[in-house]
Amino acid sequence: MSAASEGSSKFPTMIIPQGTEIKVNSQGQLSIKTPGNLVIQNSGNYSELESTNGSIRIEDNVNVEAVSVKAAEACYIQGTLTAWRVTAKKIALEDRAKAYIMMQDSQQLELSRTSRLVGNFANEKEIYLMLGKFTDQLRQLPGNVDLHATQSVEAPRPASSGSLPGFASTAAGAPALPSPLDQALSLLEAEVRRPELDNRSSEAIREVIFALRERDLQRAGLIYRDAFTELSTPSEELRRAYDMLATYFRSNRL
């Protein structure tokens, strides 16, 4: 055996099946789409991982970050996966596996006793509604956190005396709301203070106020209709606020 062939035999052979697509996006993230099973044995940051006909496995001691993970059959996790969305018939976390998944779409979810799953929302709307409740707490988080290292996070500071209780004050320099939305926000902030308002109605109004105060018009347009359906006995002022929101978002589709 020649020295060259002897040296090469020490390393495994990499086979790229026919039909596999491998790309790199502008952020330097790798995208892999293959017709068969996909096994990840090295840690890495990916844009998309997809098995169109088989399964995806992330092996032990491997740390994978991906925007999207999609498997026709199953996604098996032995190491650590951090992903925005995971789609598979089955998602299985084996012993000591960790998964940080914002959204998952699966028919079956299997967790071992020693595994850990964080996140697991069904869609973007659930994320908007959940995170909207904790805007102030999110603002207090450090800008760069290592998910795999122990970090201490400072407790949120109390809201200033001039802000509405339970709401984060608007960040300095935030863009002004369009006039109809600003008027609707003022009405909602006044109505949510009414002591006779039931908890369910109050919570629904707060969701919309959070979105408007944070200038997240996309979220406001997504949730305001459902929020107002939760109101048991909407006042005339709340009806006015709804009409302003409905008129604005019909004319300005985001």
Side-chain angles (χ1 to χ4, degrees):
M1 182 181 294
S2 66
S5 60
E6 183 179 0
S8 62
S9 65
K10 296 179 181 178
F11 301 97
T13 300
M14 179 178 178
I15 300 174
I16 301 177
Q18 185 175 6
T20 298
E21 298 178 12
I22 301 177
K23 301 177 182 178
V24 178
N25 66 10
S26 58
Q27 285 76 43
Q29 294 174 317
L30 194 64
S31 175
I32 302 175
K33 181 178 180 180
T34 184
N37 297 326
L38 179 61
V39 178
I40 307 297
Q41 295 182 327
N42 285 332
S43 299
N45 192 339
Y46 300 86
S47 173
E48 297 180 354
L49 295 173
E50 181 175 358
S51 170
T52 56
N53 297 301
S55 298
I56 294 176
R57 177 181 292 276
I58 297 170
E59 296 203 335
D60 194 21
N61 296 320
V62 173
N63 178 14
V64 170
E65 295 184 12
V67 177
S68 172
V69 177
K70 184 184 296 184
E73 295 300 327
C75 178
Y76 298 101
I77 303 168
Q78 291 180 311
T80 300
L81 172 65
T82 303
W84 178 255
R85 183 189 295 271
V86 177
T87 303
K89 288 183 181 178
K90 180 172 75 171
I91 299 174
L93 275 69
E94 302 180 10
D95 289 344
R96 297 182 301 280
K98 295 180 182 179
Y100 304 89
I101 301 172
M102 287 301 291
M103 291 181 288
Q104 68 91 7
D105 180 6
S106 66
Q107 300 173 14
Q108 186 178 357
L109 182 63
E110 294 183 359
L111 303 176
S112 72
R113 285 189 176 184
T114 55
S115 65
R116 184 184 180 195
L117 174 64
V118 178
N120 204 31
F121 293 94
N123 50 52
E124 287 88 348
K125 182 177 179 180
E126 284 190 0
I127 297 175
Y128 280 140
L129 292 173
M130 182 65 179
L131 298 187
K133 296 178 181 180
F134 303 105
T135 306
D136 194 40
Q137 286 83 354
L138 289 170
R139 185 179 288 112
Q140 303 303 324
L141 290 174
N144 189 6
V145 177
D146 182 358
L147 288 175
H148 315 296
T150 302
Q151 297 281 345
S152 60
V153 178
E154 183 180 353
R157 301 180 183 88
S160 62
S161 58
S163 62
L164 179 64
F167 294 91
S169 56
T170 303
L177 281 172
S179 180
L181 299 186
D182 189 52
Q183 294 177 46
L185 176 59
S186 296
L187 291 172
L188 294 175
E189 288 178 335
E191 288 297 294
V192 81
R193 293 189 179 98
R194 290 195 296 116
E196 65 271 22
L197 197 67
D198 63 272
N199 290 336
R200 184 173 179 177
S201 298
S202 176
E203 182 67 16
I205 295 173
R206 286 173 183 269
E207 298 286 0
V208 182
I209 293 177
F210 270 121
L212 293 175
R213 287 180 65 86
E214 292 302 308
R215 306 309 193 247
D216 191 342
L217 303 191
Q218 184 177 14
R219 177 157 64 93
L222 179 68
I223 68 174
Y224 82 94
R225 292 182 184 276
D226 289 342
F228 274 86
T229 62
E230 298 293 328
L231 307 184
S232 54
T233 55
S235 65
E236 186 61 33
E237 297 300 291
L238 286 175
R239 291 192 181 96
R240 283 182 56 203
Y242 175 84
D243 290 341
M244 290 176 182
L245 292 169
T247 300
Y248 177 84
F249 287 116
R250 276 198 300 266
S251 303
N252 302 270
R253 304 210 178 260
L254 302 175

